[in-house]
Amino acid sequence: MIPMTLAEIAAVVDGRPVADDPRLTVTGPVEFDSRKVRPGGLFVAFPGEKVDGHDYAAAAVAQRGAVGVLGSRAVDGVPMVLVDDARVAMGRLARAVLDRLPELTVIGLTGSSGKTTTKDLVGQLTARLGPTVAPAGSFNNELGHPYTALQADADTRYLVLEKGARGIGHVRYLCEIAPPRIAVVTNVGTSHIGEFGSVEAIAQAKGELVEALPAAGLAVLNADDPRVRAMAVRTAARVVLVGEAGDADVRAEDVTLDERGRPSYTLVTPNGRVPVRLGVSGRHQVGNTLAAAAVALDLGMPLAELPEALGALVLPSTRRMDVFDRADGVTVIDDSYNANPGSMAAALHALAAMGRGRRTVAVLGYMAELGEFERDGHAQVGRLAAELGVDRLLVVGETAAPIRDGAVAVADWGGESVLVTDQQAAIGLLRRELRSGDVVLVKGSRYRTWDVVDALREAAVGPQGGAR
């Protein structure tokens, strides 16, 4: 956050200052959790049915050192900027701040899956080029987006923002808050299809990102996804195709995986080719790192530096392809943060690659927001697990039962599947059945599937996190 007085903030958010001295200047960060407020900051108070941020406004100022509060009702004795809707006002404030940072490059990313990971990868590369804001996690909605943007200040050179969507117009709105100069679209799949209604609608929504680019901007598009490739005609910006397609501008050739599922490939660009060996697991990381490389090259990173930079990449956002070993020789892949058919497929392919010559176990939970495609989406995942030769499939919860149905429908599958009632049942079964050498994948849609991972971590060796 750049320094701004309460009067200036009121002016840009269409609010009204309520303070003895509206020249009080915010110099610290903007927070909507009063426990995180720091001296000089601005506290944003949101009303709620159970918790009302206005009840914490006085403490945010008196005890935490906030200069003032952005909210929708006055609090006695508290310097405030009053607005009709604090969430909308927060977006307007973010846009005003970014407009005052002409040296800042905003990089926006979207896609049905992989956008958080790719955001993390891009942020690590841009950090080598200049001060970067790209926090771990998925701050990709109408609250998290401006919250992240407001972390930029006069020293920030790169702001890397993930843009989520649950409907047409959502990405466009986020782009109005933080207009991108560089856009990355990872893929178009069936995530949130229950809300969109069709894959075509999802593609329409994701493409709003490239439509927001200026003519001098850059669109980095996945050449291996026809719906993403087709977005090239929706932007006035320069287009760089990335992927394994022969006509991709930035592409990977000769892809191989090691025993931990970590890819190596030859990075081919218009300016030459270099060998790359990644430290992160999963073949799908090839496409993610190609997108990150294309952004870094456009921003001036020399091609010769990319092998080391790409090889040093890690996955700071939690529960995303986090691979760890237990003392008993069991390897666990924690990809339990969330799930949709596309990310499930990527995780199962990673399990199959890492499990060559070992017994593979997939613990899979329910995938949310698939609407009328729910049963088919789950069955598709089960079929893939069987086709990839997963040895043991644990399906968690009755809502995920079609995963099991899909697997057992594959006639020549040599594995076996069991439906368990909940996470505790899965944990008990794994404790009884796991043996040294097994590779276990755990994945589901935020329905406490990660409880299974936490139980499996109890016997982990070494520091938690990261592929080892």
Side-chain angles (χ1 to χ4, degrees), residues 163-226:
K163 297 175 187 283
R166 286 178 168 81
I168 301 294
H170 290 185
V171 170
R172 183 182 305 113
Y173 171 71
L174 297 180
C175 289
E176 290 170 356
I177 293 174
R181 187 188 75 75
I182 298 176
V184 177
V185 185
T186 60
N187 50 53
V188 172
T190 54
S191 177
H192 306 303
I193 195 170
E195 295 170 311
F196 281 98
S198 69
V199 176
E200 289 72 24
I202 294 173
Q204 180 63 32
K206 301 301 182 184
E208 292 170 359
L209 178 59
V210 301
E211 290 176 346
L213 290 170
L218 171 70
V220 178
L221 302 179
N222 181 359
D224 301 324
D225 186 321

Coordinates of all heavy atoms in Angstrom, one line a residue, residues 163-226:
K163 N -6.6 -15.1 -11.1 CA -8.0 -14.6 -11.3 C -8.9 -15.8 -11.5 O -8.9 -16.5 -12.5 CB -8.0 -13.7 -12.6 CG -7.2 -12.5 -12.4 CD -7.1 -11.7 -13.7 CE -6.1 -10.5 -13.6 NZ -6.6 -9.4 -12.8
G164 N -9.8 -16.0 -10.5 CA -10.7 -17.1 -10.5 C -12.1 -16.6 -11.1 O -12.3 -15.4 -11.2
A165 N -12.9 -17.6 -11.4 CA -14.3 -17.2 -11.9 C -15.2 -18.3 -11.6 O -14.9 -19.5 -11.7 CB -14.2 -17.0 -13.4
R166 N -16.5 -17.9 -11.3 CA -17.6 -18.9 -11.2 C -18.7 -18.4 -12.1 O -19.8 -18.9 -11.9 CB -18.0 -19.0 -9.7 CG -17.1 -19.8 -8.8 CD -17.5 -19.8 -7.4 NE -16.8 -20.8 -6.7 CZ -15.5 -20.6 -6.2 NH1 -14.9 -19.4 -6.4 NH2 -14.9 -21.5 -5.5
G167 N -18.4 -17.5 -13.0 CA -19.5 -17.1 -13.9 C -18.9 -16.1 -14.9 O -17.8 -15.6 -14.8
I168 N -19.6 -15.9 -16.0 CA -19.3 -14.9 -17.0 C -19.2 -13.5 -16.3 O -20.0 -13.1 -15.6 CB -20.3 -14.9 -18.1 CG1 -20.4 -16.3 -18.8 CG2 -19.9 -13.8 -19.2 CD1 -19.2 -16.7 -19.5
G169 N -18.1 -12.8 -16.7 CA -17.9 -11.4 -16.2 C -17.1 -11.4 -14.9 O -16.6 -10.3 -14.6
H170 N -16.8 -12.5 -14.2 CA -16.0 -12.4 -13.0 C -14.6 -12.0 -13.3 O -14.0 -11.2 -12.6 CB -16.1 -13.8 -12.3 CG -17.4 -14.1 -11.7 ND1 -17.6 -15.2 -10.9 CD2 -18.6 -13.4 -11.8 CE1 -18.9 -15.2 -10.5 NE2 -19.5 -14.2 -11.0
V171 N -14.0 -12.7 -14.3 CA -12.6 -12.3 -14.6 C -12.5 -10.9 -15.1 O -11.6 -10.1 -14.8 CB -12.0 -13.3 -15.7 CG1 -10.6 -12.8 -16.2 CG2 -11.8 -14.7 -15.1
R172 N -13.5 -10.5 -15.9 CA -13.5 -9.1 -16.4 C -13.5 -8.1 -15.2 O -12.8 -7.1 -15.3 CB -14.7 -8.9 -17.3 CG -14.8 -7.5 -17.9 CD -16.0 -7.3 -18.8 NE -16.1 -8.3 -19.8 CZ -17.1 -9.2 -19.8 NH1 -18.0 -9.2 -18.9 NH2 -17.2 -10.1 -20.8
Y173 N -14.3 -8.4 -14.2 CA -14.4 -7.5 -13.1 C -13.0 -7.4 -12.4 O -12.5 -6.4 -12.0 CB -15.4 -8.0 -12.1 CG -15.4 -7.3 -10.8 CD1 -15.9 -5.9 -10.7 CD2 -15.0 -7.9 -9.6 CE1 -15.8 -5.3 -9.5 CE2 -15.0 -7.2 -8.4 CZ -15.4 -5.9 -8.3 OH -15.4 -5.2 -7.1
L174 N -12.4 -8.6 -12.2 CA -11.1 -8.6 -11.5 C -10.0 -7.8 -12.4 O -9.1 -7.2 -11.8 CB -10.6 -10.0 -11.3 CG -11.5 -10.9 -10.3 CD1 -10.9 -12.3 -10.2 CD2 -11.6 -10.2 -9.0
C175 N -10.1 -7.9 -13.7 CA -9.2 -7.1 -14.5 C -9.5 -5.6 -14.4 O -8.5 -4.8 -14.7 CB -9.3 -7.6 -16.0 SG -8.7 -9.3 -16.3
E176 N -10.7 -5.2 -14.1 CA -10.9 -3.8 -13.9 C -10.3 -3.3 -12.6 O -9.8 -2.2 -12.5 CB -12.4 -3.6 -13.9 CG -13.1 -3.8 -15.2 CD -14.6 -3.8 -15.1 OE1 -15.1 -3.7 -13.9 OE2 -15.3 -3.9 -16.1
I177 N -10.1 -4.2 -11.7 CA -9.4 -3.9 -10.4 C -7.9 -3.8 -10.7 O -7.2 -2.8 -10.2 CB -9.7 -4.9 -9.3 CG1 -11.2 -4.8 -8.9 CG2 -8.8 -4.7 -8.1 CD1 -11.6 -5.9 -7.9
A178 N -7.4 -4.8 -11.4 CA -6.0 -4.8 -11.6 C -5.7 -5.2 -13.1 O -5.6 -6.3 -13.5 CB -5.3 -5.9 -10.7
P179 N -5.7 -4.2 -14.0 CA -5.5 -4.4 -15.4 C -4.1 -5.1 -15.7 O -3.1 -4.5 -15.3 CB -5.6 -3.0 -16.0 CG -6.3 -2.2 -15.0 CD -5.9 -2.7 -13.7
P180 N -4.2 -6.2 -16.4 CA -2.9 -6.9 -16.6 C -2.2 -6.4 -17.8 O -2.8 -5.9 -18.8 CB -3.4 -8.3 -16.9 CG -4.7 -8.2 -17.5 CD -5.3 -7.0 -16.8
R181 N -0.8 -6.5 -17.8 CA -0.1 -6.3 -19.0 C 0.3 -7.6 -19.6 O 0.5 -7.7 -20.8 CB 1.2 -5.5 -18.8 CG 1.9 -5.1 -20.1 CD 3.3 -4.5 -20.0 NE 4.3 -5.4 -19.6 CZ 4.9 -6.2 -20.4 NH1 4.5 -6.4 -21.6 NH2 5.9 -7.0 -20.0
I182 N 0.5 -8.6 -18.8 CA 0.8 -10.0 -19.2 C -0.3 -10.9 -18.7 O -0.7 -10.8 -17.5 CB 2.1 -10.5 -18.7 CG1 3.3 -9.6 -19.3 CG2 2.4 -11.9 -19.1 CD1 4.6 -9.9 -18.7
A183 N -0.9 -11.8 -19.6 CA -1.9 -12.7 -19.2 C -1.4 -14.1 -19.5 O -0.8 -14.4 -20.6 CB -3.2 -12.4 -19.9
V184 N -1.7 -15.0 -18.6 CA -1.4 -16.5 -18.8 C -2.7 -17.2 -18.6 O -3.4 -17.1 -17.6 CB -0.4 -17.0 -17.8 CG1 -0.1 -18.4 -18.0 CG2 0.9 -16.2 -17.9
V185 N -3.0 -18.1 -19.6 CA -4.2 -19.0 -19.5 C -3.7 -20.4 -19.5 O -3.1 -20.8 -20.5 CB -5.2 -18.7 -20.6 CG1 -6.5 -19.6 -20.3 CG2 -5.7 -17.3 -20.6
T186 N -3.9 -21.2 -18.5 CA -3.3 -22.5 -18.4 C -4.1 -23.5 -19.1 O -3.6 -24.4 -19.9 CB -3.2 -22.9 -16.9 OG1 -4.5 -22.9 -16.3 CG2 -2.3 -22.0 -16.1
N187 N -5.4 -23.5 -19.0 CA -6.3 -24.6 -19.6 C -7.7 -24.2 -19.4 O -8.1 -23.3 -18.7 CB -6.0 -26.0 -19.1 CG -6.0 -26.0 -17.5 OD1 -7.0 -25.5 -16.9 ND2 -5.0 -26.5 -16.9
V188 N -8.6 -24.9 -20.1 CA -10.0 -24.8 -20.0 C -10.5 -26.2 -19.7 O -10.4 -27.1 -20.6 CB -10.7 -24.2 -21.2 CG1 -12.3 -24.3 -21.0 CG2 -10.3 -22.8 -21.4
G189 N -11.1 -26.5 -18.5 CA -11.6 -27.8 -18.2 C -13.0 -27.7 -17.6 O -13.8 -26.8 -17.9
T190 N -13.3 -28.6 -16.7 CA -14.7 -28.7 -16.1 C -14.8 -28.2 -14.7 O -15.9 -28.4 -14.1 CB -15.2 -30.1 -16.2 OG1 -14.3 -31.0 -15.6 CG2 -15.4 -30.5 -17.7
S191 N -13.8 -27.5 -14.2 CA -13.9 -27.0 -12.9 C -15.0 -25.9 -12.8 O -15.1 -25.1 -13.7 CB -12.6 -26.3 -12.5 OG -12.7 -25.7 -11.2
H192 N -15.9 -26.0 -11.8 CA -17.1 -25.1 -11.6 C -18.1 -25.3 -12.8 O -18.9 -24.4 -13.0 CB -16.6 -23.7 -11.5 CG -15.6 -23.4 -10.5 ND1 -15.8 -23.7 -9.1 CD2 -14.4 -22.9 -10.5 CE1 -14.8 -23.4 -8.4 NE2 -13.9 -22.9 -9.2
I193 N -18.1 -26.4 -13.5 CA -19.0 -26.5 -14.6 C -20.4 -26.5 -14.2 O -21.3 -26.1 -14.9 CB -18.7 -27.7 -15.5 CG1 -19.3 -27.6 -16.8 CG2 -19.0 -29.0 -14.7 CD1 -18.9 -28.7 -17.8
G194 N -20.7 -26.9 -12.9 CA -22.0 -26.8 -12.4 C -22.6 -25.4 -12.4 O -23.8 -25.2 -12.5
E195 N -21.7 -24.5 -12.2 CA -22.1 -23.1 -12.2 C -22.1 -22.4 -13.5 O -23.0 -21.6 -13.8 CB -21.2 -22.3 -11.2 CG -21.3 -22.8 -9.8 CD -20.3 -22.2 -8.9 OE1 -19.1 -22.2 -9.2 OE2 -20.6 -21.7 -7.8
F196 N -21.2 -22.8 -14.4 CA -21.1 -22.3 -15.7 C -22.1 -22.9 -16.7 O -22.7 -22.2 -17.6 CB -19.7 -22.5 -16.3 CG -18.7 -21.5 -15.8 CD1 -17.8 -21.8 -14.8 CD2 -18.6 -20.2 -16.4 CE1 -16.9 -20.9 -14.3 CE2 -17.7 -19.3 -15.9 CZ -16.8 -19.7 -14.9
G197 N -22.4 -24.2 -16.6 CA -23.3 -24.9 -17.4 C -22.7 -25.6 -18.6 O -23.3 -26.5 -19.2
S198 N -21.5 -25.1 -19.1 CA -20.9 -25.8 -20.2 C -19.4 -25.4 -20.3 O -19.0 -24.4 -19.7 CB -21.5 -25.3 -21.5 OG -21.3 -24.0 -21.8
V199 N -18.6 -26.2 -20.9 CA -17.2 -25.9 -21.1 C -17.0 -24.7 -22.0 O -16.1 -23.9 -21.8 CB -16.5 -27.1 -21.7 CG1 -15.0 -26.8 -22.0 CG2 -16.6 -28.3 -20.8
E200 N -17.9 -24.5 -22.9 CA -17.9 -23.3 -23.8 C -18.0 -22.0 -23.0 O -17.3 -21.0 -23.2 CB -18.9 -23.4 -24.9 CG -18.7 -24.4 -25.9 CD -18.9 -25.9 -25.4 OE1 -19.7 -26.0 -24.4 OE2 -18.3 -26.8 -26.0
A201 N -18.9 -22.1 -22.0 CA -19.0 -20.9 -21.1 C -17.8 -20.7 -20.3 O -17.4 -19.5 -20.0 CB -20.3 -21.1 -20.2
I202 N -17.2 -21.7 -19.8 CA -15.9 -21.6 -19.1 C -14.9 -20.9 -19.9 O -14.1 -20.0 -19.5 CB -15.4 -23.0 -18.6 CG1 -16.4 -23.5 -17.5 CG2 -14.1 -22.9 -17.9 CD1 -16.2 -24.9 -17.1
A203 N -14.7 -21.4 -21.2 CA -13.8 -20.8 -22.1 C -14.1 -19.3 -22.3 O -13.1 -18.5 -22.4 CB -13.8 -21.6 -23.4
Q204 N -15.3 -19.0 -22.4 CA -15.7 -17.6 -22.6 C -15.2 -16.7 -21.4 O -14.7 -15.7 -21.6 CB -17.2 -17.5 -22.8 CG -17.7 -16.0 -23.0 CD -17.2 -15.4 -24.3 OE1 -17.0 -16.1 -25.3 NE2 -17.0 -14.1 -24.3
A205 N -15.5 -17.3 -20.2 CA -15.1 -16.5 -19.0 C -13.6 -16.4 -18.9 O -13.1 -15.3 -18.6 CB -15.7 -17.2 -17.8
K206 N -12.8 -17.5 -19.1 CA -11.4 -17.4 -19.0 C -10.8 -16.5 -20.0 O -9.8 -15.8 -19.7 CB -10.8 -18.8 -19.1 CG -11.3 -19.9 -18.1 CD -11.0 -19.5 -16.7 CE -11.5 -20.6 -15.7 NZ -11.3 -20.2 -14.3
G207 N -11.4 -16.4 -21.2 CA -10.8 -15.5 -22.2 C -11.0 -14.1 -21.9 O -10.4 -13.2 -22.6
E208 N -11.8 -13.7 -21.0 CA -11.9 -12.3 -20.6 C -10.6 -11.7 -20.1 O -10.4 -10.5 -20.2 CB -13.0 -12.2 -19.5 CG -14.4 -12.5 -19.9 CD -15.4 -12.6 -18.7 OE1 -14.9 -12.4 -17.6 OE2 -16.6 -12.8 -19.0
L209 N -9.7 -12.6 -19.7 CA -8.4 -12.1 -19.2 C -7.6 -11.6 -20.4 O -7.0 -10.5 -20.3 CB -7.6 -13.3 -18.6 CG -6.2 -12.9 -18.1 CD1 -6.2 -11.8 -17.1 CD2 -5.5 -14.2 -17.5
V210 N -7.5 -12.3 -21.5 CA -6.8 -11.8 -22.7 C -7.5 -10.6 -23.3 O -6.8 -9.8 -23.9 CB -6.5 -12.9 -23.7 CG1 -5.7 -14.0 -23.0 CG2 -7.8 -13.4 -24.3
E211 N -8.8 -10.5 -23.2 CA -9.5 -9.4 -23.8 C -9.1 -8.1 -23.1 O -9.2 -7.0 -23.6 CB -11.0 -9.6 -23.7 CG -11.5 -10.7 -24.7 CD -13.0 -11.0 -24.5 OE1 -13.5 -10.6 -23.5 OE2 -13.5 -11.7 -25.4
A212 N -8.7 -8.2 -21.8 CA -8.4 -7.0 -21.0 C -7.0 -6.5 -21.3 O -6.6 -5.4 -20.8 CB -8.5 -7.4 -19.5
L213 N -6.2 -7.2 -22.1 CA -4.8 -6.8 -22.3 C -4.7 -5.6 -23.3 O -5.5 -5.4 -24.2 CB -4.0 -7.9 -23.0 CG -3.7 -9.1 -22.1 CD1 -3.1 -10.2 -22.9 CD2 -2.7 -8.7 -21.0
P214 N -3.8 -4.7 -23.0 CA -3.5 -3.6 -24.0 C -2.8 -4.1 -25.2 O -2.3 -5.3 -25.2 CB -2.6 -2.7 -23.2 CG -1.9 -3.5 -22.3 CD -2.8 -4.6 -21.9
A215 N -2.8 -3.4 -26.3 CA -2.1 -3.8 -27.5 C -0.6 -4.1 -27.3 O 0.0 -4.9 -28.0 CB -2.3 -2.7 -28.6
A216 N -0.1 -3.4 -26.3 CA 1.4 -3.6 -26.0 C 1.6 -4.7 -25.0 O 2.7 -4.9 -24.6 CB 1.9 -2.3 -25.4
G217 N 0.5 -5.4 -24.7 CA 0.7 -6.5 -23.7 C 1.1 -7.8 -24.3 O 1.4 -7.9 -25.5
L218 N 1.0 -8.9 -23.5 CA 1.4 -10.2 -23.9 C 0.4 -11.2 -23.4 O 0.1 -11.3 -22.2 CB 2.8 -10.6 -23.4 CG 3.3 -12.0 -23.6 CD1 3.6 -12.3 -25.0 CD2 4.5 -12.3 -22.7
A219 N 0.0 -12.1 -24.3 CA -0.9 -13.2 -23.9 C -0.1 -14.5 -24.0 O 0.4 -14.8 -25.1 CB -2.1 -13.3 -24.8
V220 N 0.1 -15.2 -22.9 CA 0.8 -16.5 -22.9 C -0.3 -17.6 -22.9 O -1.0 -17.8 -21.9 CB 1.7 -16.7 -21.7 CG1 2.4 -18.0 -21.7 CG2 2.8 -15.6 -21.8
L221 N -0.5 -18.4 -24.0 CA -1.6 -19.3 -24.2 C -1.0 -20.7 -24.3 O 0.0 -21.0 -25.0 CB -2.4 -18.9 -25.4 CG -3.0 -17.5 -25.4 CD1 -3.8 -17.3 -26.7 CD2 -3.9 -17.3 -24.2
N222 N -1.8 -21.7 -23.7 CA -1.4 -23.1 -23.8 C -1.7 -23.6 -25.2 O -2.9 -23.8 -25.6 CB -2.2 -23.8 -22.7 CG -1.9 -25.3 -22.7 OD1 -1.1 -25.8 -23.5 ND2 -2.6 -26.0 -21.8
A223 N -0.7 -23.9 -25.9 CA -0.9 -24.4 -27.3 C -1.5 -25.8 -27.4 O -2.0 -26.2 -28.4 CB 0.5 -24.4 -28.0
D224 N -1.4 -26.5 -26.3 CA -1.9 -27.9 -26.2 C -3.4 -28.0 -25.9 O -3.9 -29.1 -25.9 CB -1.1 -28.7 -25.2 CG 0.4 -28.7 -25.6 OD1 0.7 -28.7 -26.8 OD2 1.3 -28.7 -24.7
D225 N -4.0 -26.9 -25.6 CA -5.4 -26.9 -25.3 C -6.1 -26.1 -26.4 O -6.0 -24.9 -26.5 CB -5.6 -26.2 -23.9 CG -7.1 -26.2 -23.4 OD1 -8.0 -26.1 -24.3 OD2 -7.3 -26.4 -22.2
P226 N -6.9 -26.7 -27.2 CA -7.5 -26.0 -28.3 C -8.4 -24.8 -27.9 O -8.4 -23.8 -28.6 CB -8.4 -27.1 -29.0 CG -7.8 -28.4 -28.6 CD -7.2 -28.2 -27.2

